[in-house]
Amino acid sequence: SCKQSKVTTANAIKFYDSINHQINLTRPLQQKFIDKLYECMSQVKDDNMALVDTDELYRDLDSAKISNLFRLKMIKDINEVDRDINYKKKIIISVELLTKYYNNEFDKCIKVLGSNQQDKFENCQTLMVPALTELKKTLDEIEQAKTDFKSKYKFTAPTE
């Protein structure tokens, strides 16, 4: 027969913590890029011809990309403990989506910010809004999976 092994609360917590450890480890470089991008978008919103340091943005984007690929590799190496909730799978979907956006929408937005075109802010927004909306959907699913996971295995996570 095909027996599904019972997941102990201890194993569930260990799984949950190892995934969140990888996310927290790789968050700062990704957040730094996002913050810098928003800062530059704000500059051109106020003044379309504001000079944007695209070299710094590209450096931060490269760091974010590397950090995200590292996150993906490390999380893929962790065994999913609960296929009903699929916490790991939902995180991987989100991380892969972010990789796609780093290589497309975010990259194009930096090109727009460094260009001489009119309406830089609006053009970036047109690129970013659909991407961020899609990303938000995956993040909401992750939040739901977190809630389901904690409730099923009856633990509260002190650190996120």
Side-chain angles (χ1 to χ4, degrees):
S1 74
C2 184
K3 274 192 296 194
Q4 184 161 5
S5 61
K6 180 97 177 77
V7 178
T8 64
T9 298
N11 283 348
I13 292 172
K14 190 175 164 218
F15 161 80
Y16 185 88
D17 285 348
S18 25
I19 287 203
N20 289 328
H21 173 70
Q22 291 307 325
I23 291 170
N24 293 334
L25 203 62
T26 53
R27 180 177 287 132
L29 287 172
Q30 299 195 48
Q31 195 58 54
K32 181 183 178 202
F33 167 69
I34 297 293
D35 292 347
K36 186 72 189 162
L37 184 64
Y38 274 121
E39 186 188 307
C40 293
M41 282 179 69
S42 296
Q43 286 176 327
V44 298
K45 184 180 184 183
D46 296 337
D47 170 14
N48 191 67
M49 296 322 290
L51 285 179
V52 173
D53 185 351
T54 54
D55 288 346
E56 184 183 359
L57 266 175
Y58 278 120
R59 272 195 307 277
D60 289 346
L61 175 62
D62 285 341
S63 298
K65 281 182 186 178
I66 291 164
S67 166
N68 199 50
L69 290 173
F70 178 75
R71 174 186 286 183
L72 186 63
K73 182 200 177 311
M74 297 312 283
I75 290 175
K76 277 187 171 176
D77 286 347
I78 299 168
N79 287 326
E80 181 85 72
V81 297
D82 190 319
R83 299 223 185 277
D84 295 331
I85 297 175
N86 266 332
Y87 184 51
K88 171 186 160 179
K89 185 181 181 187
K90 288 173 180 159
I91 287 177
I92 287 176
I93 289 168
S94 186
V95 172
E96 287 176 337
L97 198 58
L98 195 52
T99 298
K100 185 182 119 180
Y101 294 146
Y102 280 152
N103 291 320
N104 294 293
E105 286 79 356
F106 289 119
D107 188 71
K108 287 177 186 162
C109 184
I110 296 173
K111 284 187 179 69
V112 168
L113 291 172
S115 74
N116 290 323
Q117 62 184 264
Q118 291 300 311
D119 308 323
K120 288 188 228 185
F121 178 78
E122 291 76 9
N123 293 340
C124 271
Q125 230 181 359
T126 303
L127 284 167
M128 302 298 288
V129 170
L132 295 175
T133 304
E134 191 63 30
L135 198 57
K136 169 104 174 60
K137 229 184 286 174
T138 68
L139 297 175
D140 290 344
E141 285 175 16
I142 289 169
E143 282 310 308
Q144 186 57 56
K146 269 186 184 183
T147 304
D148 296 346
F149 202 87
K150 288 184 207 171
S151 139
K152 182 172 181 176
Y153 295 101
K154 300 182 177 32
F155 73 94
T156 53
T159 54
E160 293 283 318

